[in-house]
């Protein structure tokens, strides 16, 4: 087993977990699976949640201070950041457009979606979170019937069905969302009582402040921040060593809960995952091979389509196989400098920043995943909530470590930002690895595109 690559171990564990769940359902071992196997999956989720907040805090601060003194960045720094943020918004917008148009989460049967909705409401109630109302459920007979039997889905105290169908909504002003981004107490936000956007705002604000104080005072803090970031990334590495066993337990528990006594529900789930995968994969292909070349043309960059992709193809292949932007960075720099003939100073400035803060593929995947999971649980996110997804996914991409599966940790952040259950990442785990490989290709392609744009549009700018 040690000689098998980790990603193959995880894939094998996924299938073994699914097979175990189906067998336990068929043989009547569901209680054993829930009591003695599934808890290890809960431990896996808890460990990821433990790391998510400090990782994003220190990674974002480290990414900001890694830009250097803002007075020395000049026009090139501003242009680099503008392009990176712009392409990330573009990726998230594309993901939201595709997932809202095709609605993969609504491809599942109404029965499965109703049970998922009830489970969501029970989770929200148990965690003192206001569930997101869906007025369409008021006239849904299957939903009303399921409310009467909710103890069969998960144990919970009796609740007035009308309160679940139409929870009271507090009146908020048009700028309340902006007010909510500012934390009154950062320690309260870090404890989980605040929004993830508050933590991201504090991290960016703190990182910018470090750039403006004297290096003698800032350096010890920067070293501490970078050390903490490295430590939490190493914690992910340690967890991932045992991840095949955790993933087996996680999938066994999730599929066992979904299947119950009806194995057909599992087949429906995987049909929904197929639609989800097609949308993510299609969106990533459009981003990498359509929108990036159009962006180059829009800014008058004179480079042939074939020459661009032939030049960066070695980096794309390595990104696909390694699922790591950081591991691919040296090859990306060589490809862009040698094959695309980009100035060495531009390459050394733009690409390392991109490997830290530019995660277009990850952002697109997060947007699609959140809406898919919401649709599956009969949750219609409002325009404001989807804008929160856009903003959180964009800012969280700054804190996404350039390592395999880091997007999963950040997806939990995005789910929490709109009041959804972060444990739902287990649902998309079976297809995450192959999508992780493809979204890393998009991340690296985006880095090369922005580097080319900055170089070709920087006439007269001092490239430091």
């Amino acid at each position: 087993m040690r000689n098998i690559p980790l990603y193959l171990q995880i894939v094998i564990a996924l299938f073994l977990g699914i097979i175990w769940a189906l067998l336990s359902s068929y043989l009547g071992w569901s209680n054993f699976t829930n009591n003695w196997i599934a808890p290890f999956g809960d431990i896996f989720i808890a460990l990821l949640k433990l790391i998510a907040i400090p990782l994003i805090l220190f990674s974002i601060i480290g990414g900001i201070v890694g830009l250097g003194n803002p007075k020395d960045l000049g026009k090139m720094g501003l242009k680099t950041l503008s392009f990176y943020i712009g392409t990330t918004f573009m990726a998230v917008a594309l993901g939201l457009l595709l997932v809202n148009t095709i609605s993969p989460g609504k491809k599942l049967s109404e029965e499965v979606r109703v049970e998922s909705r009830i489970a969501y409401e029970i989770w929200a109630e148990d965690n003192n979170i206001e569930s997101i109302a869906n007025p369409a459920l008021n006239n849904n007979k299957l939903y009303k019937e399921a409310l009467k039997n909710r103890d069969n889905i998960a144990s919970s105290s009796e609740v007035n069905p009308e309160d679940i169908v139409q929870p009271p909504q507090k009146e908020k002003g048009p700028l309340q969302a902006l007010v909510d981004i500012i934390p009154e107490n950062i320690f309260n936000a870090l404890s989980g009582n605040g929004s993830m956007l508050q933590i991201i705002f504090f991290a960016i604000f703190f990182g910018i402040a470090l750039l403006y104080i004297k290096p003698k005072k800032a350096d010890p803090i920067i070293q501490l921040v970078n050390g903490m970031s490295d430590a939490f990334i190493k914690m992910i590495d340690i967890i991932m060593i045992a991840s095949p066993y955790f993933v087996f337990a996680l999938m066994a528990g999730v599929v066992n809960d979904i299947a119950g006594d009806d194995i057909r529900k599992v087949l429906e789930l995987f049909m929904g995952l197929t639609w989800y995968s097609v949308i993510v994969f299609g969106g990533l292909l459009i981003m990498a091979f359509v929108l990036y070349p159009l962006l180059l043309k829009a800014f008058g960059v004179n480079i042939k389509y074939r020459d661009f992709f032939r030049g960066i193809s070695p980096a794309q292949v390595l990104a696909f196989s390694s699922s790591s932007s950081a591991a691919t960075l040296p090859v990306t720099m060589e490809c862009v400098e040698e094959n695309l003939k980009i100035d060495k100073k531009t390459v050394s400035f733009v690409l390392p920043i991109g490997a830290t803060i530019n995660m277009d593929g990850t952002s697109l995947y997060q947007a699609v995943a959140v809406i898919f999971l919401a649709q599956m649980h009969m949750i219609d996110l409002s325009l404001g909530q989807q804008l929160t997804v856009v903003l959180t996914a964009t800012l969280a991409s700054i804190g996404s470590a350039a390592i395999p599966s880091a997007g999963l940790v950040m997806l939990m952040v995005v789910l929490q930002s709109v009041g959804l259950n972060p444990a739902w990442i287990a649902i998309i785990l079976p297809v995450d690895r192959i999508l992780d490989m493809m979204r890393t290709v998009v991340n690296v392609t985006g880095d090369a595109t922005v580097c080319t744009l900055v170089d070709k549009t920087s006439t007269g700018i001092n490239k430091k």
Side-chain angles (χ1 to χ4, degrees):
M1 191 74 173
R2 292 181 179 178
N3 296 327
I4 302 176
L6 181 60
Y7 74 92
L8 283 181
Q9 294 182 33
I10 293 175
V11 171
I12 293 171
L14 284 170
F15 284 107
L16 290 178
I18 294 168
I19 293 171
W20 174 269
L22 297 177
L23 285 175
S24 68
S25 177
Y26 179 76
L27 298 174
W29 297 346
S30 296
N31 287 335
F32 175 82
T33 299
N34 283 332
N35 293 331
W36 296 97
I37 295 180
F40 290 99
D42 296 334
I43 291 172
F44 183 50
I45 296 296
L47 287 171
L48 292 178
K49 291 173 68 176
L50 169 70
I51 293 171
I53 290 178
L55 176 62
I56 196 170
L57 175 68
F58 292 114
S59 293
I60 290 178
I61 296 174
I64 295 295
V65 298
L67 298 178
N69 193 319
K71 294 179 181 179
D72 296 332
L73 293 179
K75 294 181 180 180
M76 182 181 288
L78 180 61
K79 180 174 288 189
T80 299
L81 292 176
S82 298
F83 276 131
Y84 278 140
I85 293 174
T87 57
T88 301
F89 269 112
M90 185 189 305
V92 177
L94 174 62
L96 289 178
L97 175 64
L98 292 174
V99 75
N100 280 292
T101 301
I102 302 175
S103 300
K106 297 180 181 179
K107 305 294 184 184
L108 283 77
S109 70
E110 188 177 21
E111 181 183 359
V112 170
R113 294 181 67 217
V114 164
E115 289 190 5
S116 298
R117 171 73 192 195
I118 298 294
Y120 156 70
E121 291 174 354
I122 292 171
W123 168 83
E125 179 186 326
D126 290 344
N127 289 274
N128 296 318
I129 295 174
E130 184 177 341
S131 60
I132 300 172
N134 186 351
L137 294 175
N138 288 324
N139 299 319
N140 190 307
K141 294 181 180 179
L142 189 60
Y143 172 74
K144 290 184 177 181
E145 185 65 28
L147 282 177
K148 300 176 183 178
N149 302 310
R150 54 183 288 176
D151 285 339
N152 295 331
I153 299 176
S155 59
S156 182
S157 57
E158 290 297 322
V159 182
N160 184 352
E162 295 300 323
D163 292 338
I164 299 175
V165 174
Q166 193 68 34
Q169 298 290 330
K170 183 181 178 181
E171 291 290 334
K172 294 184 178 180
L175 296 180
Q176 186 60 42
L178 184 62
V179 174
D180 290 341
I181 293 177
I182 314 300
E184 295 180 356
N185 186 328
I186 186 56
F187 297 103
N188 190 48
L190 290 171
S191 68
N193 295 325
S195 108
M196 283 294 173
L197 281 177
Q198 293 179 343
I199 297 172
I200 294 172
F201 170 83
F202 172 80
I204 294 174
F205 195 13
F206 188 85
I208 292 174
L210 281 176
L211 294 177
Y212 280 96
I213 64 177
K214 294 180 179 180
K216 185 177 180 180
K217 295 183 177 180
D219 287 347
I221 302 175
I222 294 173
Q223 290 179 6
L224 174 63
V225 166
N226 289 333
M228 294 294 286
S229 180
D230 291 343
F232 282 107
I233 291 174
K234 179 56 66 176
M235 288 174 70
I236 291 181
D237 290 340
I238 294 171
I239 292 172
M240 293 305 290
I241 293 174
S243 61
Y245 305 99
F246 284 133
V247 166
F248 168 81
L250 186 63
M251 289 310 302
V254 169
V255 176
N256 185 69
D257 288 341
I258 294 172
D261 297 324
D262 189 357
I263 296 179
R264 291 177 300 175
K265 295 178 182 177
V266 178
L267 299 178
E268 289 190 25
L269 173 63
F270 279 96
M271 184 177 295
L273 282 177
T274 300
W275 277 101
Y276 157 76
S277 301
V278 168
I279 291 174
V280 174
F281 197 76
L284 293 174
L285 287 177
I286 293 172
M287 192 71 198
F289 298 103
V290 178
L291 293 186
Y292 286 143
L294 287 177
L295 195 61
L296 290 172
K297 283 188 175 296
F299 282 88
V301 177
N302 187 21
I303 184 171
K304 292 182 179 179
Y305 185 93
R306 182 181 297 178
D307 292 341
F308 177 75
F309 286 105
R310 181 183 294 169
I312 64 171
S313 58
Q316 290 180 314
V317 171
L318 180 58
F320 186 80
S321 59
S322 68
S323 294
S324 172
S325 299
T328 311
L329 181 59
V331 177
T332 307
M333 296 178 73
E334 182 180 6
C335 288
V336 172
E337 183 180 343
E338 299 294 331
N339 300 337
L340 301 185
K341 308 302 179 183
I342 303 301
D343 186 271
K344 184 176 182 180
K345 294 179 181 179
T346 303
V347 171
S348 61
F349 176 82
V350 176
L351 288 183
I353 294 175
T356 304
I357 70 173
N358 184 49
M359 302 289 171
D360 294 343
T362 302
S363 300
L364 185 148
Y365 137 82
Q366 289 172 344
V368 174
V370 170
I371 306 302
F372 165 73
L373 292 170
Q375 291 172 347
M376 177 182 170
H377 290 80
M378 285 189 161
I379 301 169
D380 290 329
L381 296 179
S382 66
L383 177 61
Q385 289 165 326
Q386 293 201 27
L387 290 176
T388 299
V389 170
V390 172
L391 184 58
T392 308
T394 301
L395 295 178
S397 70
I398 298 174
S400 292
I403 57 175
S405 301
L408 271 179
V409 179
M410 296 307 162
L411 177 58
M412 299 172 74
V413 173
V414 182
L415 284 168
Q416 286 177 301
S417 71
V418 286
L420 302 181
N421 189 351
W424 289 350
I425 64 169
I427 296 173
I428 61 174
L429 263 177
V431 295
D432 182 72
R433 180 62 193 187
I434 186 66
L435 295 179
D436 186 25
M437 297 165 76
M438 186 58 198
R439 61 182 182 253
T440 306
V441 173
V442 174
N443 293 340
V444 169
T445 306
D447 293 346
T449 300
V450 170
C451 189
T452 304
L453 283 169
V454 171
D455 185 77
K456 301 302 183 182
T457 61
S458 295
T459 304
I461 293 177
N462 182 25
K463 301 171 185 177
K464 295 185 180 182

